């Protein structure tokens, strides 16, 4: 329950309080924090395996999971409310105060509030929530992030290492730690690039590399290559995932939803994401028994190609624009915005040949 709420609330909140030129970088901190937690979990698992008596190690691993949520809970009261939510709730003075607290000047605050008011007015011209292009995009982003099998790699990496010939439990745990570092470090690099080169290039490069490395993992198992190559490719799969598909899925989903649709749309994205993740995790073992490890990774590589096509043809570029400019561009495309000024100043950069355009 807590993870589900975090997957919805955190990306929405970060997107709504971030300036356009830093929105990608700041939103990526959410996924970086997740991967720091995964890496620490691997490290703690290794330490308790080699240091702590067996009767205590699982208790310490579970107990360690309560440390960071406690820290987060203590810090939450210091967060401001989203100014966009305050505007939806008709609390303009409070929204202005939050914008000032976040560093906006008086002129910048008034411009932002005016843009929010225009978006709210545009939204009133249609139903509060409808299942349209933005919602389909959100579902697609949630689905394609997980269907290429990275959750299976994450959950069952120790098993894959064992079947590749790495017999020592301690060595398998060290392999997990290497996978954790490979998932975190590329994300820190992508975090610095996303607002400069855009979301689409990183998503397309990430999905291509993910499909390629997953395919190579299938060849590795088919040819019974060295466990060292398996470790390298497991790390490469996680690194490929982390330069685009991993950190920017929820960012892109939140940016492509209108203010009044963002909560419901992100819920749909998170639901599709977690359901797909659960499906991949639950079927990985049975699929491996049926297809073999090589066949399993070839199967995931096929979905990786599908994901690459999706990001290339469907996902629009959103970097460098305010959320209100993006919403105005979508509204114009749907025939809701009619003012000449909005048409000139608030254009959405669409993906070429998009099925949603």
């Amino acid at each position: 329950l807590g993870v589900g709420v975090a997957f919805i609330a955190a990306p929405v909140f970060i997107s709504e309080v971030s300036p356009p030129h830093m929105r990608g970088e700041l939103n990526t901190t959410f996924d970086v924090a997740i991967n720091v937690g995964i890496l620490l979990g691997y490290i703690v698992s290794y330490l308790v395996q080699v240091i702590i008596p067996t009767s205590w190690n699982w208790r310490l691993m579970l107990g360690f999971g309560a440390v960071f949520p406690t820290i987060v809970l203590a810090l939450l009261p210091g967060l401001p409310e989203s100014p966009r939510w305050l505007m939806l709730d008709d609390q303009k003075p409070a929204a202005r105060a939050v914008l000032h607290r976040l560093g906006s000047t008086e002129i910048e605050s008034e411009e932002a509030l005016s843009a929010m008011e225009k978006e709210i007015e545009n939204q009133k011209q249609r139903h509060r929530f409808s299942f349209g292009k933005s919602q389909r995009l959100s579902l697609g982003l949630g689905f394609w992030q997980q269907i290429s099998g990275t959750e299976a790699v994450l959950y069952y990496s120790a098993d894959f290492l064992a079947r590749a010939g790495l017999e020592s439990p301690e060595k398998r745990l060290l392999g997990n730690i290497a996978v954790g570092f490979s998932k975190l470090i590329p994300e820190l690099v992508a975090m610095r690039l996303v607002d400069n080169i855009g979301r689409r290039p990183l998503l397309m490069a990430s999905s291509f590399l993910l499909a390629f490395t997953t395919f190579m993992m299938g060849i590795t198992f088919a040819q019974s290559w060295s466990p060292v190559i398996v470790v390298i490719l497991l790390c490469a799969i996680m690194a490929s995932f982390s330069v685009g598909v991993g950190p920017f899925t929820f960012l892109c989903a939140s940016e492509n939803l209108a203010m009044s649709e963002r909560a419901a749309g992100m819920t749909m994205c998170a639901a599709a994401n977690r359901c797909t993740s659960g499906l991949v995790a639950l079927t990985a073992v049975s699929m491996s028994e049926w297809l073999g490890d090589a066949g399993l990774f070839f199967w995931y590589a096929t979905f990786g190609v599908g994901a690459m096509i999706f990001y290339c043809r469907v996902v629009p570029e959103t970097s460098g624009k305010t959320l209100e400019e993006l919403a105005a561009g979508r509204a114009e495309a749907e025939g809701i915005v009619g003012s000449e000024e909005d048409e000139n100043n608030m254009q959405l950069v669409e993906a070429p040949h998009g099925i949603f355009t």
Side-chain angles (χ1 to χ4, degrees), residues 176-197:
N176 281 343
I177 293 173
V179 169
F181 274 111
S182 299
K183 198 170 188 295
L184 175 62
I185 294 173
E187 194 163 77
L188 295 173
V189 176
M191 180 179 176
R192 302 296 297 173
L193 297 176
V194 63
D195 288 313
N196 295 320
I197 67 175

Side-chain angles (χ1 to χ4, degrees), residues 247-311:
F248 305 138
T249 290
F250 288 93
L251 167 65
C252 290
S254 65
E255 290 177 327
N256 282 286
L257 290 161
M259 196 185 308
S260 62
E261 301 172 334
R262 200 163 287 134
M266 287 298 292
T267 301
M268 293 167 58
C269 179
N273 186 271
R274 293 297 88 197
C275 286
T276 308
S277 171
L279 177 66
V280 168
L282 288 172
T283 59
V285 174
S286 57
M287 290 286 289
S288 179
E289 293 174 350
W290 179 38
L291 299 172
D293 288 337
L296 177 68
F297 281 99
F298 288 142
W299 174 257
Y300 289 149
T302 303
F303 284 107
V305 173
M308 183 169 56
I309 295 171
F310 171 80
Y311 294 124

